Amino acid sequence: SSFTSSSRGGFARNNAISSDNATTTSSFDDELMGGGGEDTPPQRQQQQKRLEFVRLQEVSSENTIEKAIARLRETIESECGRTSSGSAAGSSKSGMLRFRCFVPRDANALQFLSSMNKGTKTTTPNEKERDENRLERWTNTTPRFYFSPRSPPPKPVRQEKREEEEEMKRGGGGGSEEGKEVNEEFAKDTRGAMAAIGASCLWTSTIPSSNGIDDDDSLLTKRRLRAVREFLKVSKNVKAFGAGRFDPSFISHSVAAEVDSNKWECFGSRYVFIPIVDVSESISCGEVGVNISWDDNGIVNDGSCAKTLDEAVKKCLKCLESIEASLKASAKEVKTAATTTTTRTPSTNNSSKRVSPDEETWQNVVSGTIEKMNALGENEEDDIKLLLGTSFDEDAFAEAPMGSAERLRSALKNMGRRSGINADESILDVFENLVSKNRDDSEIENEENTGVTLQELPDDDSPRESDDDDDDDDDAIERTENASGKRSLRKVVLARKTTLDVSEFVSECELIESLQRRDPDAYQFILTHPSGTSFIGSSPERLFKSNITSRSVESEAVAGTRPRGSDPGEDAALAYDMLLSEKEHEEFAIVREDVRKSLAKIARDGDSGVFKELEKGILRHVSVQHLYARFRAKIDEQVDESDVISALHPTPAVCGYPRDLAMQTVRKSETFDRGLYAGPLGWIDSEGAEFCVAIRSALLSNGDNGDNKVADLFAGVGVVKAANAKSEWQELNLKTKPMEALLLQNNIRNIKALAYFPNNPNARAAYALVDELVLNGVQLFCIAPGSRSTPLALAAENHPSAKVVVCIDERSLGFYALGFGKGAGKPCAIIVSSGTAVANLLPSFVEAHESQTPAIYLTADRPQELRDTGANQTIDQIDIFQNFRRYFVDAPVPGDLQTNDEQVQTFRNIARVAYGKSTDVAHPGPVHVNLPFREPLGPRQKIENNVNNSDGASEKMSLATMESIKEEVKKVRGDTISDDSLEIQDFSVFESAANQMKESKRGVLIIGGSANPKDALMSAMAAKVLGWAVLADVTSGLRVGVNGSPTDLNVVKCYDYLLCSAEAVERFSPDCIVQLGSRIVSKRLCKFVDDAAAADNVSYIVVDPSPRNFDPSHVVSHRIQCSRDVFASAILSNASKKPLSMMMPCVM
């Protein structure tokens, strides 16, 4: 098949595109055709023409990313393998093809990238020479990129609705319902992570060893942005990923050694690429895409990487084949590791830690900078204070009655509420006394005498009818001049580099996965160069997010730092301390006002067009919390993302204020190259862009001897005149702590408190169990505290990749875990103590059984010698859930087994079996692992084993359990349980049902719920093949739509109400009913099905992988036991004999 028109749509000339409105070019593109605009080199102007050929093609959905990759490769080989010069695509000089395949919503981009790394990453050049195939796979699948958007930021405390109303009054469509929908859509965050592999197009530059870089060679220019978007218009889901340097002109200005810059040399001043393969997550379903681009006028590192279609197809197929080979190699390594016991050796040496600058040099530099700032004149100081206000929000008094004795307390509460803080009265007592000491009593009682405060600032809290002082205040922050007219430095951000020698392979993906689980409220990112150098990070700060449709840009200000508290009370106290700190407020206000003014430069209505969604709040992360503000602005048609980046980067949060003076100070003070640290990093698509500020980051590169890797960790702090050099040094330690702690552990999967790990059999066994559960896919551990379960609780809490939820009520905890399992489609672990705590889990256990929801229950218990002896908190909990569980094991007592290796391997095997049984595709559900522990239960007692405390019977039972577990592991690792799909168990039943479906003229498809995320996508695939009316249950996952619009599936809306009508039920009389899944929630739908199936000549076909019988009315005519993806593929195959989609659908 060649690129010619066909019944399937075919490839046509003149940009014929099949979906996604790809014919629409970006409205940011003011000149896609013709000249290149500002100072564009003549040799590059040819790049800015329209592509001659653009097409998007969708292939049938698959239930895993691996199968999607194989499907896409087969399709491309078929469609593109025999192109001819006379075909539409083959004769085009430039073009962009995209093939896409939808996958279930649980598709994990980071796990996919991690599997790729395991299959292609090498540790030494010698290994590369020994394994040429692995090196080739690495070359074909780099560069790589991963980007995870953070959780939604804090909700606005004070929305400026009146400003929005004024905007609507001014016209421009702002007051229309359509405009409101656009704003609401822009505010939504799908939170979908993205992974990218290979470069279909690449825009980068090289860093010469001398003469520096052109100061204007930033991440994006208008010409470059137009060129990028020309390739992106094929689909809104195609993105260009990349990053830019903090200071492109670093080499020509800095005193740092060129050796340091060589580490960043591979990325150039910018590194932007459109991938060959991309994987994107979504709340409805994921998408795997393959991009093929070519341009015979392309320039190296400035556009498409291929000159012809044939060249592009070959490059693409090499990439796909290498991905498949890497995934197979990774799976083989995982399977080998599952059957062996590995010895973990330290990956780093604490003595190899180096910091630049050292603490003494740092204090000298910071102290000298502070002295210069303190030289400000009095007039300038007053102007700055007038603009920035004070840390205490005087508007908090507005809601408190004048003269009230509780006025200060009420103001503190208002201030905390507006910032999202809930504090106890005891904490408010402390800060009430603190504020009282620093304020005159007359200021509290006299509303007219509040000093220089935020009330005097322009439009800080709410819009005003008139604001004549705006210009004066704007001038104040722009001039920052003292009496002599010389501008002065108000703030500078100085950074530190921490270098660690990593003696063995460190996985970037596992590092980011651990940071992501601990801190989902941050951006996580990985940018890997073909040379092997990787830039990774976990940043809390957004630079901007843009949307073309609404012409909107969002940005924010983040500054000030305090650690997180050990409990909610301490956390609130630290937040209040930051809110009331003059030093933190000055630093924050400088950043906030500069971001506001920067947005005003590009806003449609200037300063009045910038809306403050949140004036001052708290942004919390895993180990730190910051002061936070958020802005939004409308922009004109001629403004694009290159203007936004130019206006905002670098912000005072990473550079200082004024920008030029701060940049000069950074260049003179820092003795290392920041590279991509603190630069813009993110993505661009045809409808907008999102960039974070790449802070809290690290550069992983090869060491000097080639046998090790070097990790350079970067962090910075804002220095203002009220700063303290020692405190700022401590803040740097706080910011690098999460990533440094991961790198300095024995291994990323070993516990933080290693002191008890080798000395206590309970701790050793518990950690092996928890670690193996994490490796298999368990992310969440729900803990109900208790003494006997101490080893399990400590193992989960100290595991770097485990997320822990604590609740004292076991019954509530069980249902929380049940809800997680239903939503995520995979199990979490529930940890409880012994005795009646186990009995409290019965309701949630039964619900998990009935709903076929995977869950792993870990119950602590007494050892055998204390059972049936009247010991406290001891009941007979052996197989207590026997009528409802999928699997039960009474684990050996840690210490009964003779060697540590036997003990560790046995508990890892238990975890593998428990996870495999719980997620069995044919019958998922809850499993029960009973874990007896002997005292001492604490982690630090130096005991090799406690066999002497046991009797002979216990030891014999433990050995017998170990042998039975070995047999179960073989079953779980076999084909019957570990496969993703369950094949049709009785093909004769399917053939009979298929004949009934083909003969049907009024068929209806009913889609039930499932705990497996892939089932919704596979059900949609079956619905498209059948073409029947679809009645989607509320738990089906199809009510919100998958892989596009739900209207493609003939979904009957509000059928529960329609079935109330006898007339509708009579008209809606199917002759064939196919039900995917056994459980239906709607009582009316169940009655309708029972009544319809009871009629003569009506076939009722139920498809479900479970062996259980779900037929209370005894009306099922055909029961097909298989998974939904197998059923969808089977009817698609049968459709070739007589197309099922040609059957007459049942219409309501």
Side-chain angles (χ1 to χ4, degrees), residues 176 259 274 391 577-578 772 903:
S176 65
V259 175
I274 298 175
S391 62
D577 182 59
M578 179 168 56
E772 191 64 33
Q903 178 176 285

Side-chain angles (χ1 to χ4, degrees), residues 33-287:
M33 298 291 289
E38 60 285 354
D39 301 325
T40 303
Q43 65 271 23
R44 293 186 176 182
Q45 291 185 13
Q46 300 179 18
Q47 183 81 8
Q48 298 175 31
K49 63 183 181 181
R50 289 184 182 273
L51 297 178
E52 293 185 10
F53 188 92
V54 181
R55 190 183 188 278
L56 170 68
Q57 180 169 331
E58 179 181 331
V59 303
S60 58
S61 304
E62 292 290 347
N63 59 6
T64 65
I65 295 177
E66 292 78 4
K67 292 181 180 179
I69 293 292
R71 170 81 64 171
L72 288 164
R73 176 185 54 77
E74 293 170 358
T75 301
I76 292 172
E77 288 176 341
S78 174
E79 297 286 349
C80 308
R82 297 186 296 273
T83 60
S84 62
S85 58
S87 64
S91 61
S92 300
K93 295 183 178 180
S94 62
M96 179 74 167
L97 305 177
R98 177 172 175 84
F99 297 82
R100 70 179 182 187
C101 178
F102 292 109
V103 292
R105 56 181 169 84
D106 66 337
N108 191 302
L110 185 57
Q111 288 182 4
F112 167 67
L113 203 60
S114 180
S115 298
M116 285 292 304
N117 281 353
K118 292 176 183 177
T120 60
K121 201 70 179 279
T122 57
T123 57
T124 65
N126 292 334
E127 184 177 350
K128 291 181 180 179
E129 294 173 1
R130 291 194 303 267
D131 192 349
E132 294 183 358
N133 291 333
R134 176 173 287 215
L135 176 60
E136 183 180 3
R137 294 199 298 266
W138 171 262
T139 303
N140 293 335
T141 57
T142 51
R144 298 175 184 175
F145 192 92
Y146 175 79
F147 188 82
S148 172
R150 67 184 183 192
S151 298
K155 294 181 179 179
V157 179
R158 285 177 280 183
Q159 292 273 7
E160 297 192 23
K161 296 182 179 179
R162 281 178 289 175
E163 288 195 9
E164 295 180 0
E165 292 172 359
E166 291 180 3
E167 168 69 14
M168 294 178 183
K169 291 178 181 178
R170 284 194 289 266
S176 65
E177 291 296 326
E178 180 181 357
K180 290 181 182 179
E181 292 176 1
V182 168
N183 288 336
E184 290 176 0
E185 181 67 26
F186 184 50
K188 292 179 182 178
D189 192 346
T190 60
R191 301 178 61 181
M194 297 160 280
I197 293 177
S200 181
C201 300
L202 178 64
W203 292 266
T204 186
S205 64
T206 56
I207 300 180
S209 58
S210 61
N211 300 326
I213 304 173
D214 184 358
D215 285 341
D216 294 330
D217 196 9
S218 57
L219 173 64
L220 289 176
T221 62
K222 287 184 177 294
R223 182 205 64 82
R224 190 176 303 126
L225 180 60
R226 288 193 294 266
V228 171
R229 278 226 163 92
E230 179 63 18
F231 289 95
L232 299 179
K233 69 181 183 180
V234 65
S235 169
K236 64 181 180 181
N237 290 333
V238 181
K239 289 178 171 59
F241 303 94
R245 289 175 61 92
F246 165 77
D247 181 9
S249 57
F250 169 82
I251 296 178
S252 60
H253 294 287
S254 176
V255 297
E258 291 185 6
V259 175
D260 190 67
S261 296
N262 288 339
K263 291 184 178 181
W264 296 102
E265 187 174 0
C266 59
F267 294 110
S269 64
R270 64 182 179 276
Y271 200 87
V272 180
F273 70 100
I274 298 175
I276 296 176
V277 177
D278 56 73
V279 177
S280 57
E281 301 172 8
S282 175
I283 58 174
S284 58
C285 68
E287 180 177 330

Side-chain angles (χ1 to χ4, degrees), residues 360-375:
E360 181 179 357
T361 305
W362 168 267
Q363 292 188 2
N364 292 335
V365 171
V366 173
S367 299
T369 303
I370 293 174
E371 288 179 4
K372 294 179 181 179
M373 292 180 178
N374 282 325

Side-chain angles (χ1 to χ4, degrees), residues 640-654:
D640 59 24
E641 285 90 351
S642 66
D643 299 310
V644 178
I645 291 179
S646 178
L648 292 174
H649 176 72
T651 68
V654 294

Side-chain angles (χ1 to χ4, degrees), residues 143 224 566 568 628 723 748 871 1023 1141:
R224 190 176 303 126
S566 58
Y628 171 79
I748 195 168
S1141 60

